[in-house]
Structures are given as structure tokens and as C-alpha cells.
Amino acid sequence: MGRAGFRPARWLLLGGRFARRLTLAFAVTALAGAALTAIVVNLVFGARFGTYVDSQRQAREDQVVGLLTGEYQQAAGWQVASLDRLGSGLVMSGVDVSLLGSDGTPIWSLSQAGADPAMRAMHNQMMGVSALGPAVARPVIVNGQQVGTALVRVPQAVVPAADAALRTSVNQALLGGALAAGVVALGAGLLIARGITARVLELTAAADELAAGHRDRRARVSSGDEIGGLAASFNTMAETVQREEELRRAFAADIAHELRTPLSILQGHLEAVQDGVVAPEPEVIDSLHEEALRLGRLVADLETVADADAAGFTLDRREVALAPLVADTLAGLGAHVAESGLQMRSDLAEVSVVADPVRLRQVVTNLVTNATKFTPTGGTITVTLEVRDGHAELVVADTGVGIPAEDIPRVFERFFRGATSTGRGSGIGLAVVAGLVAAHDGEISVTSDPGHGSRFLVRLPVIAHKSHLRFTGSP
């Protein structure tokens, strides 16, 4: 399916939902902020107004108590007649007063001063005086002694028109600000959402196209935020997928070539024998047998790939003395190394690890076989084993052609065959070694000097170390 065949409507819809949600989140946040501001302002306004009302009420009560105190001092006691003279002034102020003596007995009240209740109500209505509040007992103090108690009722406070107008205008401004903030948030959210979703949709499209087989597709996102980092990781992954696919294709071509040669030889010799052109002599049988062995080795290489993938789950771990195991493996490889015109030396310290001995033999065999392939006749392969920093260090060094610097980071990649490869082997031996070493919780590394040889180092966790025993020799 080509790029034009993707379903843009699907991911555009997904992006649209995300954009709408993000825009709505901006708008709701703005409106919630404005609403919270309005609530706080009104609470502060109400608290300040309550304080103002209390202070005004207390001031009027103090004024009434002050009048009564002055009257007591002037009359040298409580005189009802003199108190009645205060009645008209108190009526004008809109308050109501009752006076009790120091022993709590009633002495005087404004209603007893001859003030007509109807006239008082008319006066209060004309003066805009509100209803009276509850009576508040206030002591009357003269020369440090309480001479009476005044029960004072003052008009209940009402919000002045100017204060009410101020509160209304503030709330209207907050409402207008909230609406304006909501509109601005919608616009900002839409712009930000478009910027984010555009990058997300580009990444989604790249993933869809990569999954459809377009291995050269990359996400065109270059921002420095998390989405940009995700796109960079995606592009790295895509490059890895493309490189591995190229390696697999090259590997398939190499395997086809490797299989074709022995099969062609086998087919040709067998047909010649069938046609009577060639007699089935021992030399012919030996040649056919050699080609069959070559096919077997190639198939074995392919099987080890699957074994390496599952090694972490199929290891038969036990305590293994490495020195005898390595020495025995090298002895088995000695004839092959000698046939290649090479010398092999070893210096092995006794050390024990917990490992699968079969897999460790495979590691040693692959490393030595690899060194044999790339070491010219007359060269030397040196295998050493020692303990360092709590690890057994197995080193396989050769005096071969070496590895170019640009190939070293990829020598353990599956199917990789470097520039120095002569066409022998399948390109998976070192990948198998790396997988088996990792399955044993170990590490493998390589250093090389092109033209002078390579050095492979395998490090495995140690159980015990007996440095006084060593296996040395030339298998």
C-alpha cells in the first residue's frame, strides 16, 4: 500500500480529539481561575464590609453610652427627668435604649420618655433608618465603677449604595475578564494544540508508513521537547530496522550463495555418477562427503542463532572449572589450527564460574575459529585465562589482519560481515558469542590494530580463584 493509501481521516480524527481536549483544558483553566478570583474578591469584600459594619455599630453604641455617662455625672445620679431630655436626640439618631441600675433593676427606657412609636417609625422611614438590631448590653462606667447597664439597639447595617455599586462593578469586571480569558485561552489552546498535534500526527504517519514497508520513512520533527526526543528515538529505531533488514537481505544472499556452491557440486557429481560418466570411486565419495559436511556446518550456524536467542532460558548452569574446559576445547581445535598453518598458545589460570559448560565450549570454539579465519599462515593465536576484579577474563588474541575501526562497533551484530571478510562463514559466529556471554551475565569486547591482529576479551563473574595452578601449553 502506498503512502497515498493510508487512512489520514483516522489519525486526523484522533489528533482532532486531542486538540479539542487540550483547547478545552486551556479554556476551563482560564474560566476556573477567573471564577476563583471572583470568589476570593467577594469573600475579601464581605469580610472588609463586615468589619466596617461592626466598627460603625460599636461607634454608635459608644456614643449612646457616652451620653448616658455624661448625664449621670451632670445630675450626680440617675434622674428620669434629665434622661427624658435625651430622648429627642436619641429618637433622631434612630436607636432604642433601656437603662438598668447597677443592681439590674429597670431605671429608664426611651419608650417611657414619651416618644410616640408612630412618630418614631415615620421619622425612621423618612431618614432611611433600617430595622433595629438585637439589644447589646453595655456597662456605664463612672470613676471606675459601673453605675448601670445600657441595653442599646442600633439600626442594622445595610450595604450603602456606593458599596453595592462597587461590588457589582467588580463582579461585572471579573465576569468580563473571565470571558476574555476564556476566549484568549481558547485561541492559545488552539494554537498550541495544533502545534503539538501536528508533530504527533507526523510521528503517527511515519510509524504507519514504516509498518507498511516504507523503511526509508522518517519522522520530520525537530523540536527540542519530549515529542522531538520521541521522534529522534523513532528515527533511530527506523534506521536500526532498515539496517537490520539490509543485513538480512545480504545474509540471505550470502546463504543462498553458500548453499548453491555445495549443492551444485553435489548435484553435478551425483548426475555424473548416475549417467556413468564418473565412477563412484573413493575420491568422488570423499568430495561428496566434504560438500555434505560444508552444508552441515552452514545449517549448524543457522541453528546456533536460534539457540543464542533462547540461551538465557536453556542454560544448564553448574559450577565449572574454566581452565580444564578451555584446555580441552583448545585440544580439540588443535588439528584444525595446525592445518591452517597457525600456532596456538595458552596460559590458563584455574578459576571457577557458574555456567553452562556446553555453551562455554561454544564461546571458545567460535572465538578461536574466528581467529583462524582471519589469521594468515604462520600466525599465532594466543588464549589466556586469568582473574581480575572479581571476574574471569578469557582473552583470544591473534596476529591476523585485524578489524577496521569503523567495523568494530558492529562486529557483534548478527549477519554483519566486515570489509576484511573473505567470504568464509555466515557472519553470525560473533553474534552468537555475544548472546551466550550476555546470557551468562558476562561482558565481551574487542580491540584491534588493523594489519597486526585482534584481541577479544570475555569477562564472567568468578566463584573461586586458585592462582597457584595454571595450564600452559601449545595444543
Side-chain angles (χ1 to χ4, degrees), residues 116-180:
D116 185 4
M119 291 297 294
R120 291 176 60 186
M122 183 181 299
H123 174 268
N124 291 341
Q125 184 177 6
M126 291 177 60
M127 297 299 294
V129 177
S130 61
L132 297 176
V136 177
R138 298 291 303 275
V140 180
I141 306 297
V142 176
N143 296 327
Q145 293 184 349
Q146 182 175 347
V147 297
T149 301
L151 302 179
V152 184
R153 297 178 64 196
V154 299
Q156 292 181 349
V158 296
V159 179
D163 293 341
L166 176 61
R167 177 178 289 191
T168 300
S169 63
V170 169
N171 287 329
Q172 289 176 347
L174 290 174
L175 178 60
L179 294 176

Side-chain angles (χ1 to χ4, degrees), residues 299-373:
V299 172
D301 281 345
L302 295 176
E303 289 178 343
T304 53
V305 173
D307 288 343
D309 287 338
F313 304 98
T314 61
L315 293 179
D316 182 15
R317 292 179 181 265
R318 66 188 72 172
E319 183 174 346
V320 178
L322 271 185
L325 182 145
V326 174
D328 185 60
T329 304
L330 296 180
L333 295 170
H336 173 67
V337 174
E339 289 176 1
S340 301
L342 305 175
Q343 292 184 347
M344 185 160 58
R345 299 172 182 171
S346 63
D347 184 7
L348 311 175
E350 183 176 293
V351 57
S352 296
V353 297
V354 174
D356 185 332
V358 176
R359 299 300 187 182
L360 289 187
R361 288 180 183 275
Q362 192 172 2
V363 169
V364 177
T365 299
N366 282 15
L367 289 176
V368 173
T369 301
N370 181 77
T372 303
K373 293 176 183 177

Side-chain angles (χ1 to χ4, degrees), residues 384-407:
T384 60
L385 178 62
E386 59 184 4
V387 177
R388 182 173 299 167
D389 299 330
H391 285 77
E393 293 191 347
L394 173 67
V395 176
V396 177
D398 60 63
T399 57
V401 297
I403 305 171
E406 62 271 16
D407 288 347

